[in-house]
Amino acid sequence: MKNVRVIDSPVVLMNLCTMRDKNTDSQGVRIATRKITRCLLYEASKNLPLVERDVTTPLTTFKAKTVDPDINLIISPILRAGLIFTDEAIDILPQACIRHIGMYRDEETLKPVWYYNKVPMDAPNPEKFYVYITDPMLATGNSLLEAIRLYTDKGIPIENIKCICIIAAPQGIENIHKNFPEVEIITASVDEGLNEKGYIVPGMGDAGDRIFNT
Ligand code: URA
């Protein structure tokens, strides 16, 4: 599938198996999920521009590569389940800022309803912005679409935006790529599809409920 990167290393698969299992308790789901988020974030970070800086080791001075400190890196979790990415994200990408996006899914229409938006109103030098939108479940893709639009409306290049989802439904991927063919989706699994209530099958059930024990 074009612009879908499936990260199915054994470490990811082992933790995916744990988080899907209905007998895994909430703490177990959180631990397994965080491990996967870290692997997916590592993959996403491959698009970050590098610069060289002089570093002195105990042996010599040389030019070492590091992430360009002048970029604006945004992690944008879609509330509430997307929050599970944030601790790992600021741990491995300390220069990132977290811009929360609050949307819930109307259970009848399956359309997103806004309730919170912490995305900046303007982005000078938009080409210097890199955005990772995080949501463990890519189901219909409607919330993710709204989130992508928030950033493209500010002029941020679509190649600089990545969607990081642990489990994706083919319908959601199609919906995103119909509107933004160039956006890359990084996921641990493309599942069979959606049921009549919009849940991913086999999926993991309601990610927010399972992560937050509600
Ligand atoms: N959101 C979830 O939490 N789970 C699904 O299966 C679909 C959307």
Side-chain angles (χ1 to χ4, degrees), residues 131-166:
V131 181
Y132 300 159
I133 303 169
T134 66
D135 191 346
M137 309 301 272
L138 169 50
T140 61
N142 291 332
S143 312
L144 202 50
L145 262 187
E146 292 272 320
I148 297 169
R149 280 201 190 102
L150 262 184
Y151 289 106
T152 53
D153 284 353
K154 294 178 196 313
I156 297 174
I158 193 71
E159 308 80 51
N160 292 13
I161 300 175
K162 297 214 178 283
C163 303
I164 313 182
C165 306
I166 297 178

Side-chain angles (χ1 to χ4, degrees), residues 25-45:
D25 68 8
S26 200
Q27 189 185 30
V29 170
R30 282 194 295 276
I31 293 169
T33 308
R34 281 203 198 103
K35 288 180 187 167
I36 300 172
T37 65
R38 188 173 274 248
C39 296
L40 301 187
L41 286 159
Y42 278 135
E43 282 297 320
S45 73

Side-chain angles (χ1 to χ4, degrees), residues 81 105 135 137-140 194 198-201 203-209:
R105 192 165 66 142
D135 191 346
M137 309 301 272
L138 169 50
T140 61
L194 299 176
Y199 280 90
I200 301 178
V201 182
M204 67 170 299
D206 188 300
D209 283 349

